[in-house]
Amino acid sequence: MNHPAELLTDEMSEVFEWTFETTESSLYLVNPAADALERAVESLSTFDGRTPTVRVLGEKTTLREVMDDFLVASRTADLVESETLELRVLDDADGHKPNLMASESAVTTVVSADSLLAGLRTDDEEFVGAVREEYETLFEASDGYKLHTPGLSRVETTISERLGPECRTDFTELLSNLQTARGDSQGPDEVAISLLVAARNEELFYDVSRWAEDIGLASKATFSRKKSELEKQGLIATEKVPIDVGRPRLRLKLGDERLRDASGAQLASVAQSTGS
């Protein structure tokens, strides 16, 4: 029996990077906790090496909780599209150790104590082979988890094409200054973010909501409801723009004109208040 390798750290992302470095082609991540799954997505998105394919077997409630954050879900969608990540539902987590990782040559588990994490790895061939076979079989028999969020690369590309490069710059900068995008007390959702960016650039509400619906970001009705909420909060305003035929369209503007020249961090601070 080979002695297991160990890694002691206070960052879950370091455990994933340590594991990715020794994974030849694919890795099963079994029963991840919510924060572990978030760190796995982050680590895969930024890993500076040959990225393995990570096959996640997670509880549906955990997957739903994590993917409720636009920042995580949009990056996940990019990883799924590139076939770097696969998500399937673990119907019964009982008996499956949390945050277990099985590659072709090693099994790694994570143990936490206070603020520290220990990654424990064994490369015993018989044990690794048995674990790997178990989760290969379970993964193939499990249902896939369907994401309802477009990939971040698609969002950024299309916002530039449809609304202009300035909107893309503001959108990317605002996201980079947010810790979460859930639409709750922890932060704004993707709809509020899009509306604030569009208001900063004085785009038409029709154009923004049409773009969002076309790429599957959110419906026009959802955008309309959020627009009313932001207007009530004084964060955005609208002005009517007459057109040749039909009802006037609405141009979005920031409720406070001083925010037009605000930094991404300052606009993110304003966006944060939309979830309060």
Side-chain angles (χ1 to χ4, degrees):
M1 170 80 69
N2 293 319
H3 294 292
E6 299 178 5
L7 173 71
L8 189 64
T9 179
D10 59 356
E11 291 289 341
M12 190 70 188
S13 57
E14 290 187 11
V15 178
F16 283 116
E17 290 168 8
W18 178 65
T19 306
F20 296 161
E21 288 171 355
T22 57
T23 299
E24 290 82 1
S25 61
S26 63
L27 178 75
Y28 288 91
L29 173 56
V30 182
N31 195 19
D35 61 339
L37 183 53
E38 288 184 23
R39 296 289 81 76
V41 170
E42 178 185 349
S43 298
L44 272 175
S45 299
T46 59
F47 186 59
D48 189 25
R50 186 171 59 83
T51 308
T53 298
V54 176
R55 298 184 174 115
V56 175
L57 269 166
E59 285 191 288
K60 181 175 283 187
T61 53
T62 301
L63 295 173
R64 187 181 296 120
E65 175 189 346
V66 173
M67 298 307 153
D68 193 42
D69 183 341
F70 172 74
L71 295 179
V72 180
S74 60
R75 292 189 179 105
T76 299
D78 275 343
L79 293 169
V80 169
E81 186 172 343
S82 67
E83 299 184 346
T84 304
L85 184 67
E86 297 179 61
L87 300 176
R88 297 204 179 178
V89 178
L90 183 63
D91 287 329
D92 185 2
D94 291 342
H96 299 289
K97 188 174 181 61
N99 303 331
L100 181 144
M101 290 170 274
S103 69
E104 301 92 333
S105 58
V107 172
T108 304
T109 58
V110 181
V111 178
S112 61
D114 295 327
S115 60
L116 291 176
L117 298 166
L120 306 177
R121 176 191 295 158
T122 179
D123 58 5
D124 179 80
E125 290 185 12
E126 184 177 355
F127 179 74
V128 171
V131 173
R132 177 84 178 186
E133 182 178 359
E134 176 185 354
Y135 289 115
E136 281 180 346
T137 302
L138 183 57
F139 189 83
E140 291 302 320
S142 299
D143 293 332
Y145 182 83
K146 183 173 178 56
L147 280 171
H148 299 285
T149 303
L152 184 58
S153 58
R154 174 166 165 73
V155 174
E156 291 181 335
T157 298
T158 57
I159 198 173
S160 182
E161 293 171 347
R162 300 279 288 272
L163 303 178
E166 295 84 2
C167 281
R168 173 178 178 158
T169 298
D170 287 343
F171 186 89
T172 303
E173 188 176 2
L174 200 161
L175 284 184
S176 70
N177 283 280
L178 291 174
Q179 297 299 313
T180 183
R182 293 182 178 275
D184 57 15
S185 60
Q186 301 301 311
D189 63 10
E190 59 271 29
V191 179
I193 292 167
S194 300
L195 286 168
L196 284 169
V197 166
R200 188 180 194 182
N201 290 277
E202 299 192 353
E203 298 290 337
L204 294 178
F205 175 70
Y206 174 86
D207 293 340
V208 179
S209 58
R210 178 68 181 272
W211 158 74
E213 191 164 66
D214 285 350
I215 67 167
L217 188 67
S219 68
K220 289 182 182 178
T222 299
F223 262 74
S224 184
R225 286 193 298 272
K226 183 62 70 173
K227 175 180 70 67
S228 297
E229 291 176 17
L230 297 182
E231 283 184 292
K232 288 178 182 177
Q233 291 177 279
L235 296 175
I236 66 172
T238 57
E239 65 176 19
K240 291 183 179 179
V241 178
I243 57 176
D244 292 337
V245 179
R247 298 171 57 188
R249 291 189 174 161
L250 299 175
R251 186 175 303 283
L252 298 168
K253 305 183 78 170
L254 288 171
D256 186 339
E257 288 298 315
R258 292 174 296 180
L259 290 173
R260 283 180 56 82
D261 298 319
S263 66
Q266 290 169 322
L267 197 60
S269 179
V270 171
Q272 199 78 22
S273 68
T274 68
S276 300

